[in-house]
Amino acid sequence: MQLLTNPLKIHPKFRMPINSLILITATCFLLSLIYIGSTTAYNAIVSLCSIGLHVSYLLPIAFIMLRKIHGPPVAYGPFSLGKWGVPVNMFALVYLIYVIIWMPFPTMLPVTGANMNYAGPILLAVILGGIADWFISGHKRFEFP
């Protein structure tokens, strides 16, 4: 049990957070067991995670593009795409919007309760819950960095 006492500890030999990797592996294993019980629930979880990941990429790319086009110059870190930055970001935005629109669609017709993709409605509920939390109490808790 000594291994699981500090999840952020770096293993001295492998120089990796072994405890965190064990936690992620166990979580993925437990989530994969959902597939045995219900393929619809498993597909909804996987699809929801994918949509959330794509949305989390979409927003920073969109804000950086707005700043590149309208705002003051962007302070780059050690890496820049130079003249290819705007076209690559535009392609990424178009691709992400395409994926976000089509990913929640059902995978087969006719759509029934057993083959419905519930990721879209769940994502919408999470977004609406986040907006409601912001207006109820979140704006009081948030501190600007």
Side-chain angles (χ1 to χ4, degrees), residues 74-81:
V74 178
Y76 293 105
F79 181 77
S80 171
L81 291 174

Side-chain angles (χ1 to χ4, degrees), residues 3 6-22 25:
L3 188 63
N6 185 359
L8 301 177
K9 185 178 178 185
I10 303 296
H11 192 276
K13 179 180 177 186
F14 300 121
R15 295 188 312 182
M16 293 176 20
I18 299 295
N19 297 339
S20 299
L21 294 174
I22 291 171
T25 303

Side-chain angles (χ1 to χ4, degrees), residues 24 31 39 45 57 66 68 72-73 80 85 88 99 105 109-110 121 145:
I24 290 169
L31 285 174
T39 57
I45 290 171
Y57 287 151
L66 285 174
K68 282 181 180 179
S80 171
V88 167
V99 169
F105 276 60
L109 292 173

Side-chain angles (χ1 to χ4, degrees), residues 41-141:
Y42 178 77
N43 289 335
I45 290 171
V46 170
S47 186
L48 182 62
C49 292
S50 298
I51 293 171
L53 182 69
H54 285 85
V55 169
S56 73
Y57 287 151
L58 180 82
L59 296 175
I61 293 171
F63 291 138
I64 289 290
M65 282 298 301
L66 285 174
R67 181 126 183 237
K68 282 181 180 179
I69 294 170
H70 296 294
V74 178
Y76 293 105
F79 181 77
S80 171
L81 291 174
K83 67 178 182 175
W84 289 98
V86 173
V88 167
N89 285 340
M90 290 300 285
F91 175 77
L93 286 175
V94 170
Y95 172 75
L96 289 170
I97 290 169
Y98 173 79
V99 169
I100 290 168
I101 289 172
W102 286 101
M103 196 174 288
F105 276 60
T107 57
M108 61 184 74
L109 292 173
V111 178
T112 65
N115 65 11
M116 169 71 178
N117 188 352
Y118 293 99
I122 293 171
L123 180 66
L124 181 63
V126 169
I127 290 172
L128 292 176
I131 292 171
D133 176 61
W134 172 259
F135 284 110
I136 293 170
S137 65
H139 66 282
K140 297 173 189 170
R141 294 187 316 256

